Amino acid sequence: MAEQKGWRQRIWDPPKYYGYKISAVLLALMLWIFVTVPQPSAEQLYTVPIEMRNLNSELTLTETNYQAQVRVSGSAASIAALSSRYIAAYVDFTDVMAGEATLEVQLEPLPDNVQLISVSPTSITVTLEEVASRDYTVEPRISGQPDENSTILDPVITPSLVTVGGAEEYLSIIGSVFVHADIGGITTNYNQNLAVEIEDTEGNDITQHFVISPSSVQVMIPVIYAQPEKALAVSVPLTGETAEGYQVSRVVVEPATVRAFGAVAALNALYYLETEPVDISGLSANHTVTVRVLPPAGIEVDTATVTVVVQVQATATQEYSSVIELLNADETLSYNLSDSQCVITVSGPAEEIAALNEDDIRVYVDVAGLGEGEHLLTVEATTSGNIELQLAVPAQVTLLIEQQPAGE
């Protein structure tokens, strides 16, 4: 009997397994409590933006800043682990056309163990307009100052023109399209890719209402070590010939002068700076082009490029018969011309030719310094504006100079 009891004790009551048995009982008890005892719950209110999905690219909203209040519930642990980034509210614009539309606010599925209580608003009313677009020049806005020993030159923005698309309501109040560059303390060239921003006429930021293409531009601001400078005129060399019957009436350069930096001796030797040549071959209308300024070695300029407008006008010709005057005649001498009359042909812009009077043209020969005897002289003419002498008949005259008879 004693032997049988010992056998049972060895099977059911091995002393070295008491700890395992107690642990198993406690674990089972805890699981039972967790399953049968209700967990504490919590509620939370989140404010999230309402996304605009599947909006036709040819339409835009007059207002885009919509938000939703989303109230959820769940266990205290689930709510504590939740944040607004896990909650996505949106409206679907599939098949919605221009005009006013009321759309249901929808939610992406919530995380497990989180239940939706309410969404406010349940719908939003929006106004859609067809997208309009305009091109704008990007302006640089510079803040800060470079190092005290450095000087900044004019910014170069690439591209300088962007397309802004949006509702006409907002396009009509655009005040400026710009980029902001902070150059505080810089000592070397500033070169950054900057986001394009938009303000209305009152200085309010309205960038969010537009699609900007491109949305960012490259901004390069040259920085040079402080050195002497000089303002120099910009000269534009022209190559080629205009179309027949046309001529260049004016060349406009913007800016007309640039700041040049360099050694004093080098600057003193300069009176103007040339640009790349502008080809006018075959021109019969005004021509606008951007060209590089070409400073000599050792000279830097504050403006890398200038805009050149070559104005072209149709030409016309006109004949006039005029008396040949003697210019710089000596009263003590007698002058006798082989021809006292001359027929001249002048040419120039048609408008100026039409407005030309005979009194505007002076035909002459210059007798300054000529003494007694016979002289062969070229007929010349003074004209106004862009009028040029094309032909004089005769082109030359013979002049006989004699001493004035005594007593005359």
Side-chain angles (χ1 to χ4, degrees), residues 213-228:
S213 180
S215 59
S216 62
V217 295
Q218 193 71 25
V219 179
M220 198 280 282
I221 304 176
V223 178
I224 63 172
Y225 190 77
Q227 54 186 313

Side-chain angles (χ1 to χ4, degrees), residues 67-100:
Q67 294 183 322
Q69 304 287 325
V70 180
R71 185 177 294 277
V72 297
S73 67
S75 67
S78 298
I79 296 299
L82 189 65
S83 69
S84 59
R85 66 181 179 179
Y86 296 111
I87 301 175
Y90 66 95
V91 289
D92 189 349
F93 285 90
T94 301
D95 297 329
V96 177
M97 307 301 290
E100 189 173 274

Side-chain angles (χ1 to χ4, degrees), residues 18-34:
Y18 282 142
Y20 292 107
K21 292 171 121 184
I22 295 171
S23 298
V25 172
L26 292 176
L27 180 60
L29 180 61
M30 290 172 63
L31 289 173
W32 178 80
I33 293 172
F34 181 81

